Amino acid sequence: QVQLVESGGGLVQPGGSLRLSCAASGSIFSIMPMGYYRQAPGKQRELVASISRVGSTNYADSVKGRFTISRNNAKNTVYLKMDSLNPEDTAVYYCWCKSLGNDYWGQGTQVTVSS
């Protein structure tokens, strides 16, 4: 079992920045990829970014060049730095990881981009 606890998020103006953090606990030795998904009202949950244990990254086209995902294996933590935010980035962001074939999710954190 893996537990994911998220922090960060909030309200930011268009063009602003935020950083999300997600700390893993439990059977952390088995965690492979980690990342973030998001879900906007009325839309399906979508992958935002992911990072492998060795640092290989993958981004949704809509966030490439604006978001940066990183990972600290010693702290069992993944970070998502979000720059140049726009209203279309408004959503609940969920931390995610895969361990021994199972998907685990954080509780979700709201990101609202509005003037």
Side-chain angles (χ1 to χ4, degrees):
Q1 291 289 328
V2 175
Q3 296 79 43
L4 300 173
V5 178
E6 302 181 50
S7 60
L11 174 64
V12 64
Q13 292 186 341
S17 298
L18 284 174
R19 191 178 84 152
L20 306 182
S21 300
C22 175
S25 61
S27 301
I28 55 178
F29 64 91
S30 61
I31 294 175
M32 296 304 288
M34 299 184 74
Y36 280 91
Y37 282 70
R38 68 185 179 186
Q39 188 166 20
K43 295 187 177 181
Q44 290 188 332
R45 190 174 296 191
E46 62 175 356
L47 175 67
V48 176
S50 64
I51 184 168
S52 71
R53 191 165 185 84
V54 297
S56 298
T57 58
N58 180 46
Y59 294 94
D61 287 343
S62 59
V63 307
K64 283 181 181 177
R66 301 188 297 121
F67 290 12
T68 303
I69 192 167
S70 60
R71 178 172 179 167
N72 186 327
N73 288 331
K75 295 184 177 180
N76 306 307
T77 301
V78 63
Y79 307 94
L80 184 68
K81 180 71 183 329
M82 305 183 291
D83 297 316
S84 302
L85 285 160
N86 59 61
E88 289 70 40
D89 296 314
T90 295
V92 177
Y93 284 69
Y94 295 91
C95 180
W96 160 84
C97 77
K98 185 175 286 290
S99 173
L100 299 177
N102 298 311
D103 293 310
Y104 294 92
W105 299 93
Q107 78 277 15
T109 186
Q110 177 70 44
V111 172
T112 302
V113 185
S114 175
S115 55

